């Protein structure tokens, strides 16, 4: 067995006793040795004693070292451990202090007496205390001696002491601490009591400043209150559901709109689908709301997961789809939008529900219906006004056409000087009346808002030259000089309405010529100065000023405003001296304003006037310029003109090859006869396909193209022709293009409808001009002359001996084609329909309707025949040929009409009615033309629900009109009578199968 070891404390005691004993023994022996050394008698003994003492000391020291070695080592180790523990404690204290300082929350500790024993740096910052000053002070008296509202607070009532009794932490967001400067701030705190062996030893309070959070909460609470008040004040029903489909907000209007027996607040937490199902029971079609809900559910967030864009329901659905029709007749409008935390960047994880808004729009829909009804009434009134004006224009033009036509025929007979003077005054008066009618129609269209401004690319320089050439000759006839100049810095291609700009310039220059007795007139087109010298961008508008200056009578300053008023002139004596309606400048100002421009006047009585028009035109595309007159430039007016060209066409100087594409025999015969009479070659095509074949196989100078033809209409034929021409130009080299003849074949539309819409269609298809049916000789040649290349020098030389270009006796006219170009003309007398055609504006649609007799009853037959003869230039033989063609083609026309009706083919029926309309117009039969036009319109309307019986009745009326016209032609006597003309079906009026229909 091992010997039993003494406890550490006993072992150390024994060792200490041995050490003490050894030390004492050594000292005694040392003392004895010293005594023997100094006593002689004992020196021998002393030496021995010294040796013994030294030996004993050494022995004692050895015993001492042996005995104390182990305790000393342990003491050294213990001291080392104590120093290490002190270092660890110090490091822990530093870490704890750094950690508490970095928490971002204040920490304050107190002992059992409530004295501060610790505070971290954040606590110092929040409370404004220095740690050394607060340590040892009573925490309650220092930082918590009053409440958040400012009332004093005793320590025994302090809620921070409640945890001592409850032995639980205390939390509060309603307290406030007091800073050293006396200011209070709201805190969120946690107070934790500390216990040691069950005895309370102190507490630790962790706190943070929540002043900003409290302010934000109050702001949000105020905002929520205002939002709630806003929602409750809305007439619209509002419901907000969360991402789980539960109602978060619902206002009282929602419950009221859908008669939900609950307060809005009571719906919170209810499934939104249940609320919508409750609302759907009031709808005429309950499934409609369910469909909207399904569409909304598919919109978000599923759409985001599919990578699609999320849009509100109002943007995704048409208005009609968002309207809910209730069973009681009310109409609700619904909008829906998904709610995201970040609406600008919606993501699936940010989806927070959906907002629904329901509005009662019953009153709005009622007002809309009333407004729509009022609009329809206004449009009907405007349409009635337009129809009335067109009808009045037609009725006024019809007798005037007869007057002008018969006057022209009379002027071609042998007359004495007085008779010729009288007839020329009659014709001049009729022409003046027609001009006034045109002005009134233009003015009424502008007032009614029916006149539109176009935007096409055109050449500014060509436009100016082509507009002023006829006016220059007119000025020269009065002994005036007309000069013009255009700023070289202005671009040539601009975007605007050349026809209306021409009308403005003609009005201004025409007035200058009218009111200037001697001197000159100058037209200046200049660019307005730019704001800087910076380069001009391609999109920058062209600002220009058109100034018309004359040396005429001038206008007094107080009369400047009056000259622009409708039906007003500066002086009542002017009307007596110069005539006119007083509408020219009123129309001009309205046209300028429609183009967003302005017009001004500078004038001094006796010195002249200057009218300035300022406009901003967009820059045009030079490659898409409206076709101009070949060889036109801005120099002085050349001798070639429409009048000269007409003279060349009717005198044999220039002979043409003309293609007439028309499916109506009468129109074919009439056009052929008018052209062949003057030596022109005519080829006839019955339909569009035949016309294309003729154009491909042989050359022509011009094409007269009917718009409505079977198999392929005139518009499609022209489009095909222009495509072929463009393709040919693209394939040719520049040398070939220069060597060959011009590739653009002029095409003139033949149509009984001259509305603006029809003219736009013709222009878009590539046609160069249009002619209204029935054809009139002078209008026909004027139209052809306006689209032909200019006369050559040889042709002019051949024409000169005929005095066709005599400026002394000639009159000036301007032909307007579909491109809106004016072709200048100086000729001998341009009379009748030629002058009418050349002076007409392309926008006068209804005003240019086919002319004819207002009625053909009684002696109206003679008037109708006279008008028809006037249309043919008084050519009695040609009239007889046309009557014969009518007689021979009538059975086929009747059969085609009946066949189209029997098959129910509305397109064919409209086409047959259109052809008959021009036939009636050829014979100046207005009643028949109106019947054919009515049938054509009825058959063309896609939304027309006319019964077959109604169409049959209209066809019967048209058959009756054909029978009547055939009978009248059969009974005509006198020169040019067609003899006994058959009625076409050898049946009297009313015996035709269709004529007996109800």
């Amino acid at each position: 067995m091992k010997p039993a070891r003494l406890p550490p404390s006993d072992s150390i005691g024994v060792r200490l006793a041995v050490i003490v004993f050894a030390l004492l023994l050594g000292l005694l022996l040392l003392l004895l040795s010293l005594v023997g050394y100094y006593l002689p008698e004992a020196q021998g003994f002393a030496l021995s004693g010294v040796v013994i003492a030294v030996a004993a000391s050494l022995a004692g020291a050895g015993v001492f070292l042996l005995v104390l070695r182990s305790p000393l080592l342990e003491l050294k180790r213990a001291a080392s451990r104590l120093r290490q523990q002190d270092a660890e404690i110090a490091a822990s204290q530093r870490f704890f202090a750094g950690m508490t300082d970095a928490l971002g929350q204040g920490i304050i500790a107190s002992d059992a007496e409530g004295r501060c024993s610790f505070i971290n740096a954040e606590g110092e910052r929040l409370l404004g205390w220095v740690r050394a000053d607060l340590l040892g002070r009573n925490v309650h008296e220092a930082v918590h001696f009053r409440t958040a509202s400012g009332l004093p607070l005793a320590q025994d009532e302090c809620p921070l002491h409640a945890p001592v009794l409850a032995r639980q932490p205390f939390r509060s967001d309603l307290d406030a601490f007091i800073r050293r400067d006396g200011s209070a701030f709201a805190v969120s705190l946690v107070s934790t009591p500390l216990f040691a062996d069950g005895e309370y030893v102190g507490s630790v309070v962790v706190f943070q400043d929540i002043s900003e959070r409290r302010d934000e909460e109050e702001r949000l609470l105020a905002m929520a209150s205002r939002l709630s008040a806003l929602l409750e004040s809305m007439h619209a029903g509002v419901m907000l559901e969360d991402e789980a489909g539960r109602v978060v907000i619902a206002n009282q209007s929602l419950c009221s709109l859908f008669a939900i027996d609950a307060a809005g607040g009571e719906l919170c937490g209810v499934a939104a689908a249940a609320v919508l199902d409750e609302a759907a029971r009031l709808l005429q079609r309950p499934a409609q709301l369910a469909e909207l809900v399904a569409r909304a559910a598919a919109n978000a967030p599923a759409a985001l997961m599919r990578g699609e864009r999320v849009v509100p329901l109002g943007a995704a659905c048409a208005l009609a789809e968002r309207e809910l029709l209730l069973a009681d007749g009310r109409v609700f409008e619904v909008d829906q939008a998904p709610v995201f935390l970040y609406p600008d960047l919606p993501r699936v994880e940010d989806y927070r529900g959906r907002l629904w808004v329901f509005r009662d729009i019953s009153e709005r829909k009622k007002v809309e219906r009333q407004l729509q009804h009022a609009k329809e009434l206004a449009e009907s009134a405007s349409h009635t006004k337009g129809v009335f004006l067109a009808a009045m224009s037609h009725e006024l033009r019809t007798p005037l056409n007869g007057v002008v036509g018969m006057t022209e025929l009379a002027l071609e007979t042998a007359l004495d000087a007085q008779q010729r003077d009288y007839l020329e005054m009659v014709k001049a008066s009729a022409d003046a009346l027609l001009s006034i009618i045109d002005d009134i129609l233009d003015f009424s269209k502008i007032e009614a808002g029916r006149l539109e401004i176009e935007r096409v690319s055109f050449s500014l320089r060509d436009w100016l030259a082509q507009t002023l050439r006829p006016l220059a000759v007119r000025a020269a006839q009065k002994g005036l000089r007309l000069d013009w100049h255009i700023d070289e810095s202005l671009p040539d291609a601009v975007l605007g309405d050349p026809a209306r700009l021409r009308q403005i310039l003609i009005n201004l220059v025409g007035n200058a010529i009218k009111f200037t007795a001697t001197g000159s007139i100058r037209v200046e087109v200049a660019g307005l100065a730019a704001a800087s010298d910076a380069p001009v961008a391609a999109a920058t508008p062209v600002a220009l000023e058109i100034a018309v200056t004359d040396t005429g009578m001038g206008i007094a300053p107080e009369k400047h405003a009056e000259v622009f008023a409708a039906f007003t002139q500066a002086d009542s004596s002017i009307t007596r001296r110069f005539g006119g309606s007083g509408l020219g400048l009123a129309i001009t100002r309205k046209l300028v304003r429609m183009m967003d421009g302005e017009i001004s006047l500078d004038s001094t009585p006796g010195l002249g006037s200057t009218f300035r028009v300022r406009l901003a035109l967009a820059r045009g595309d030079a490659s898409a310029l409206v076709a101009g007159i070949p060889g036109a430039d801005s120099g002085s007016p050349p001798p070639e003109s429409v009048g000269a060209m007409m003279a060349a066409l009717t005198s044999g100087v220039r002979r043409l090859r003309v293609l007439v594409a028309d499916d109506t025999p009468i129109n074919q015969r009439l056009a052929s006869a008018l052209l062949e009479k003057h030596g022109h070659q005519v080829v006839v095509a019955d339909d569009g396909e035949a016309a294309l074949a003729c154009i491909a196989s042989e050359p022509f100078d011009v094409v007269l193209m009917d718009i409505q033809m079977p198999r392929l209409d005139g518009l499609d034929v022209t489009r095909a022709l222009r495509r072929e021409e463009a393709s040919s130009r693209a394939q040719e080299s520049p040398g070939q293009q220069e060597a060959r003849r011009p590739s653009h074949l002029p095409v003139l539309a033949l149509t009984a409808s001259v509305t603006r819409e029809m003219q736009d269609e013709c222009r878009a298809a590539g046609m160069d001009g249009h002619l209204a049916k029935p054809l009139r000789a002078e209008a026909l040649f004027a139209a052809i002359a306006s689209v032909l290349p200019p006369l050559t020098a040889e042709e002019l030389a051949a024409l000169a001996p005929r005095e066709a270009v005599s400026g002394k006796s000639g009159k000036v006219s301007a032909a307007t084609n579909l491109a809106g170009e004016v072709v200048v003309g100086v000729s001998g007398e341009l009379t009748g329909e030629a002058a009418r055609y050349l002076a007409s504006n392309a926008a006068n649609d209804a005003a240019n309707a086919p002319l004819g007799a207002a009625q053909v009853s009684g002696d109206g037959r003679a008037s109708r025949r006279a008008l028809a003869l006037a249309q043919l230039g008084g050519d009695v033989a040609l009239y007889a040929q046309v009557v014969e063609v009518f007689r021979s083609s009538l059975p086929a026309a009747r059969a085609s009409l009946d066949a189209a009706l029997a098959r129910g083919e509305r397109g064919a029926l409209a086409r047959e009615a259109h052809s008959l309309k021009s036939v009636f117009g050829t014979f100046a039969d207005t009643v028949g033309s109106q019947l054919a036009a009515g049938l054509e319109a009825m058959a063309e309307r896609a939304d027309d629900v006319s019964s077959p019986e109604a169409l049959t009745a209209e066809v019967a009326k048209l058959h009756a009109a054909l029978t009547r016209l055939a009978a009248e032609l059969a009974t005509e006597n006198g020169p040019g009578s067609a003899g006994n003309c058959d009625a076409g079906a050898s049946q009297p009026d009313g015996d035709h199968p269709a004529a007996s229909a109800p």
Side-chain angles (χ1 to χ4, degrees):
M1 293 180 61
K2 293 182 178 180
R5 298 185 63 180
L6 292 174
S9 59
D10 295 342
S11 176
I12 292 174
V14 171
R15 290 175 181 176
L16 288 176
V18 172
I19 292 171
V20 171
F21 175 75
L23 289 174
L24 289 176
L25 180 60
L27 289 174
L28 177 61
L29 291 176
L30 179 61
L31 180 61
L32 289 176
S33 299
L34 290 175
V35 171
Y37 178 76
Y38 287 102
L39 293 178
E41 63 275 13
Q43 286 182 354
F45 175 79
L47 180 60
S48 301
V50 170
V51 174
I52 294 171
V54 171
S57 298
L58 292 173
V63 172
F64 174 79
L65 292 174
L66 179 64
V67 174
L68 290 182
R69 176 178 175 273
S70 179
L72 289 174
L73 289 175
E74 290 185 8
L75 287 175
K76 182 179 179 180
R77 293 190 190 100
S80 177
R81 285 195 298 270
L82 288 176
R83 287 193 301 271
Q84 183 178 358
Q85 289 176 358
D86 289 343
E88 290 176 355
I89 291 172
S92 297
Q93 289 177 342
R94 288 193 301 272
F95 174 76
F96 176 76
M99 182 179 65
T100 56
D101 289 344
L103 283 178
Q105 295 179 325
I107 300 176
I108 185 169
S110 59
D111 58 17
E113 301 300 326
R115 294 184 296 270
C116 179
S117 60
F118 174 80
I119 183 171
N120 68 344
E122 183 65 11
E124 290 181 279
R125 187 187 68 80
L126 292 176
L127 295 173
W129 283 90
V130 178
R131 182 176 304 175
D133 295 342
L134 188 61
L135 292 177
R137 294 179 64 92
N138 186 283
V139 174
H140 177 80
E141 294 177 355
V143 301
H144 199 221
F145 55 86
R146 68 170 183 259
T147 64
S149 59
L151 297 176
L153 181 64
Q155 184 170 352
D156 56 354
E157 297 176 355
C158 178
L160 297 184
H161 291 276
V164 178
L165 300 177
R167 305 178 72 88
Q168 296 290 334
F170 171 76
R171 292 176 171 82
S172 174
D173 287 340
L174 304 177
D175 276 278
F177 278 174
I178 312 302
R179 297 186 181 92
R180 190 171 189 177
D181 61 6
S183 60
F185 63 97
V187 294
S188 173
L189 61 85
V190 177
S191 177
T192 305
L194 302 177
F195 295 89
D197 297 331
E199 183 180 356
Y200 174 70
V201 295
S203 63
V204 176
V205 178
V206 180
F207 64 95
Q208 59 181 346
D209 186 352
I210 61 170
S211 300
E212 293 183 0
R213 191 181 81 184
R214 186 70 56 78
D215 293 341
E216 184 67 16
E217 288 174 351
E218 291 178 356
R219 188 184 69 82
L220 291 176
L221 181 60
M223 182 183 297
S225 300
R226 288 191 289 268
L227 178 60
S228 177
L230 175 63
L231 290 177
E232 291 302 329
S233 66
M234 291 176 61
H235 294 292
V238 179
M239 181 179 72
L240 178 64
E241 61 175 287
D242 60 16
E243 59 270 29
R246 299 287 176 180
V247 177
V248 179
I249 297 175
N251 65 351
Q252 191 60 38
S253 295
L254 178 72
C255 301
S256 301
L257 287 175
F258 291 105
I260 299 175
D261 188 15
E266 296 175 1
L267 297 180
C268 294
V270 177
V275 177
L276 295 174
D277 289 342
E278 180 71 11
R281 63 184 177 82
L282 299 181
L283 303 182
Q284 291 183 7
R285 190 169 66 86
Q288 183 183 6
L289 189 55
E291 293 169 0
L292 290 176
V293 172
R295 186 175 303 167
N299 192 34
L304 286 174
M305 299 184 68
R306 295 191 301 268
E308 300 174 1
R309 187 171 65 94
V310 177
V311 294
L313 181 64
C317 300
L319 180 61
E321 296 177 353
R322 296 188 288 121
E323 293 180 356
L324 305 177
L325 302 179
L326 276 68
D328 60 6
R330 290 180 296 166
V331 182
F332 288 177
E333 184 181 69
V334 57
D335 280 319
Q336 171 274 335
V339 179
F340 293 92
L341 286 179
Y342 306 101
D344 294 337
L345 187 63
R347 297 183 299 178
V348 175
E349 58 269 23
D350 295 334
Y351 178 67
R352 293 296 181 270
R354 189 178 298 114
L355 175 68
W356 295 89
V357 180
F358 299 88
R359 289 179 291 272
D360 187 348
I361 59 171
S362 304
E363 285 300 319
R364 191 181 79 189
K365 299 298 291 184
K366 179 180 178 181
V367 172
E368 286 178 358
R369 289 193 295 269
Q370 293 173 346
L371 290 176
Q372 180 63 26
H373 179 64
K375 177 176 177 288
E376 291 173 355
L377 288 178
E379 288 176 347
S380 176
S382 177
H383 176 71
T384 302
K385 176 183 176 182
V387 171
F388 170 76
L389 288 172
M392 288 305 298
S393 169
H394 180 76
E395 296 303 326
L396 289 171
R397 286 170 177 270
T398 296
L400 279 175
N401 184 65
V403 171
V404 172
M406 299 311 294
T407 302
E408 290 174 351
L409 292 176
L411 285 170
E412 294 177 1
T413 63
L415 300 171
D416 57 33
Q418 186 178 33
Q419 291 172 332
R420 183 168 298 278
D421 184 46
Y422 290 162
L423 289 175
E424 287 178 349
M425 285 192 295
V426 170
K427 184 177 179 302
S429 299
D431 289 337
L433 184 54
L434 282 174
S435 176
I436 293 174
I437 293 172
D438 288 340
D439 282 346
I440 293 174
L441 287 173
D442 267 348
F443 187 78
S444 66
K445 285 182 182 180
I446 296 174
E447 289 291 313
R450 294 174 54 221
L451 193 144
E452 298 179 357
I453 299 298
E454 290 187 332
R455 286 172 60 85
V456 297
S457 290
F458 67 96
S459 168
L460 189 61
R461 288 167 176 78
D462 286 352
W463 165 82
L464 183 65
Q466 295 165 9
T467 303
L468 293 179
R469 283 173 183 168
L471 296 171
V473 180
R474 178 177 161 193
Q477 291 175 339
K478 195 175 177 181
L480 304 173
R481 187 180 74 256
L482 173 60
D483 300 320
W484 65 86
H485 176 265
I486 185 167
D487 191 344
E488 293 182 358
S489 65
L490 289 173
D492 188 51
V494 294
L495 198 64
D497 191 332
R500 294 303 173 187
L501 284 171
R502 179 175 299 108
Q503 187 175 358
I504 291 171
L505 189 56
I506 288 176
N507 280 343
L508 295 178
V509 177
N511 281 347
I513 294 173
K514 179 191 294 186
F515 300 117
T516 301
T518 59
S520 64
I521 299 162
R522 181 169 180 79
V523 178
E524 188 83 20
V525 181
L528 297 179
S532 66
D533 296 332
V536 178
T540 304
V542 180
L544 56 84
E545 179 184 84
I546 304 173
V548 179
T549 303
D550 63 57
T551 58
M553 57 193 302
I555 303 172
E558 63 272 14
K559 298 291 186 179
H560 285 188
E562 295 182 13
V563 299
F564 293 107
F567 305 103
T568 303
Q569 293 184 332
D571 190 339
S572 59
S573 63
I574 292 177
T575 304
R576 294 191 297 270
R577 292 173 57 192
F578 300 99
S581 61
L583 285 174
L585 288 177
I587 294 173
T588 298
R589 183 175 66 171
K590 289 182 179 294
L591 289 175
V592 170
R593 289 179 175 177
M594 289 176 69
M595 297 178 185
D596 297 326
E598 58 181 23
I599 184 171
S600 60
L601 166 64
D602 295 327
S603 182
T604 302
L607 298 179
S609 305
T610 298
F611 286 87
R612 290 184 173 86
V613 175
R614 294 179 178 87
L615 297 169
L617 302 178
R619 296 175 184 270
D621 182 1
S623 63
L625 291 178
V626 170
I629 303 304
D633 54 42
S634 57
S636 59
E640 59 263 31
S641 62
V642 170
M645 180 64 74
M646 287 182 64
L649 294 177
T650 56
S651 62
V653 171
R654 174 174 289 191
R655 299 181 185 274
L656 307 176
R657 280 184 56 82
V658 182
L659 174 63
V660 176
D662 198 307
D663 62 327
T664 305
I666 290 182
N667 292 335
Q668 294 175 356
R669 183 56 186 158
L670 178 57
S672 299
L674 291 174
L675 292 166
E676 290 171 349
K677 178 180 179 181
H678 297 285
H680 303 292
Q681 296 182 8
V682 179
V683 176
V684 175
D686 294 326
D687 56 53
E689 292 183 356
L692 274 179
C694 291
I695 294 172
S697 61
E698 51 185 313
F700 292 98
D701 297 296
V702 69
V703 178
L704 304 182
M705 185 78 68
D706 186 23
I707 296 298
Q708 295 193 12
M709 291 186 294
R711 303 175 69 179
L712 198 65
D713 64 33
L715 297 175
D716 289 335
V717 172
T718 306
R719 293 187 189 102
L721 171 62
R722 298 308 181 216
R723 287 194 298 268
E724 177 63 27
E725 290 175 345
S727 175
S728 299
R729 284 194 297 269
Q731 295 174 4
E732 291 178 352
S733 64
Q736 290 175 320
Q737 292 179 4
E738 293 176 2
R740 60 157 171 78
R741 62 182 178 84
S743 63
H744 184 84
L745 176 60
V747 178
L748 293 172
L750 298 178
T751 175
S753 173
V754 289
T755 62
R756 182 59 175 268
E757 292 76 12
M758 178 57 69
Q759 294 177 35
D760 291 341
E761 275 195 82
C762 294
R763 182 188 298 111
M767 292 183 169
D768 301 276
H770 74 279
L771 271 167
K773 295 180 182 178
L775 293 178
R776 300 168 181 83
E778 292 186 66
L780 170 64
F781 286 106
I784 294 175
S786 70
V787 298
L788 291 179
L791 295 172
T792 64
E794 293 78 6
E795 289 173 329
L796 289 172
L799 192 61
R802 307 166 189 260
E803 298 182 352
V805 291
S806 172
K808 297 181 179 180
S809 61
K811 292 187 177 180
V812 180
S813 300
T816 304
N817 62 16
L818 288 178
E821 299 154 344
V822 171
V823 184
V824 180
V826 183
S827 71
E829 190 80 5
L830 288 185
T831 60
E833 290 304 318
R836 193 80 39 75
Y837 175 86
L838 297 176
S840 65
N841 188 292
N844 289 337
D845 41 62
N848 288 331
L851 306 181
Q855 299 292 338
V856 286
S857 59
D859 58 0
R861 298 180 181 181
S863 174
R864 181 195 54 71
R865 182 176 183 276
L867 288 171
L869 276 171
Q871 292 174 177
L872 300 179
D875 193 327
V876 177
L878 177 57
Y879 180 78
Q881 295 178 27
V882 172
V883 170
E884 179 58 28
V885 173
F886 171 76
R887 186 197 65 78
S888 61
S889 62
L890 185 55
R894 286 183 183 273
S896 298
L897 189 64
D898 291 337
L901 177 64
R903 293 192 303 268
E905 296 178 357
R906 285 178 172 251
L909 188 61
R911 188 164 54 249
E912 296 298 332
H914 180 83
S915 298
L916 289 175
K917 180 171 65 174
S918 64
V919 170
F920 281 112
T922 300
F923 294 105
D925 190 334
T926 305
V927 174
S929 293
Q930 291 173 349
L931 288 173
L935 177 59
E936 179 187 12
M938 181 184 294
E940 282 183 339
R941 284 196 297 266
D943 58 344
D944 190 84
V945 293
S946 303
S947 63
E949 291 78 10
L951 289 173
T952 302
E954 291 300 315
V955 171
K957 293 178 183 178
L958 197 56
H959 276 303
L962 288 170
T963 303
R964 173 187 48 76
L965 178 59
E968 290 179 6
L969 295 176
T971 58
E972 285 179 351
N973 296 316
S977 174
N980 188 13
C981 183
D982 190 357
S986 302
Q987 295 178 1
D989 189 8
D991 291 340
H992 191 275
S996 60

